[in-house]
Amino acid sequence: GKALAEAVPAAAAVFAEVISLLHEGGGKAVSFGAVGQAVGLAPSTLVQRFGSCEGMQRSAILAAWEGLEAATDLALAAAPMNAKGAHAILKALGQPTEDQVCPWDHLLLASDFRDPDVRGRAKAWRRKLEAALARRLGGADAETAAALLFAAWQGSLLWQGAGGKGFKLKDALRAVSV
């Protein structure tokens, strides 16, 4: 009842703080003390809950995958079944501006594909997204076009995170739709 209601917001706050710290300073920036201070929990409480900083980071990354999967479902449901819908999906799932931390920062989510749970989620998410893009793009080579569009989009997000300006997503869409 009440304990669960209080635990869920606390978990969400912990995960948001871990993602923020990972985004700002990598794994070395995440500590029970730093997270506890930011969210108002004793470090010992976090140790009891997660066991280790690595466990806390893994839990935060898996929670972020859940957020991306939920956002993907919403974007797919809202997007029309045409090329503009494919564009709308990827735009909805892109990263926000530099001064915001995205709860599903694509670079962080891909940070440890050695973890079988993370790797499995990534594979399933990519298959689902590419299939949805292919349905919207249509045509004989829709699967290839969707895979190329996905790769171009992910590459753009990668280099955006490094401060580079990439192409416009609609230009990539035009190139694969020809």
Side-chain angles (χ1 to χ4, degrees), residues 47-73:
V47 171
Q48 288 174 341
R49 172 69 174 96
F50 299 105
S52 67
C53 279
E54 293 79 17
M56 184 169 60
Q57 289 176 31
R58 183 177 187 276
S59 294
I61 294 293
L62 291 173
W65 271 105
E66 289 175 15
L68 177 58
E69 291 160 350
T72 300
D73 289 343

Side-chain angles (χ1 to χ4, degrees), residues 60-157:
I61 294 293
L62 291 173
W65 271 105
E66 289 175 15
L68 177 58
E69 291 160 350
T72 300
D73 289 343
L74 289 173
L76 297 181
M81 294 301 288
N82 55 32
K84 285 184 179 185
H87 182 258
I89 292 166
L90 298 180
K91 191 172 177 185
L93 298 177
Q95 294 175 327
T97 60
E98 284 183 27
D99 60 329
Q100 296 174 315
V101 175
C102 184
W104 56 80
D105 182 310
H106 296 268
L107 294 175
L108 289 177
L109 292 181
S111 64
D112 195 356
F113 280 158
R114 293 172 294 177
D115 181 314
D117 292 333
V118 172
R119 189 173 54 250
R121 283 191 115 132
K123 285 180 181 179
W125 175 73
R126 181 180 180 172
R127 279 193 304 269
K128 180 178 187 172
L129 188 53
E130 283 184 2
L133 294 173
R135 285 191 301 276
R136 284 162 177 82
L137 295 173
D141 292 328
E143 288 82 16
T144 299
L148 289 170
L149 185 59
F150 179 88
W153 172 63
Q154 286 291 288
S156 175
L157 290 176

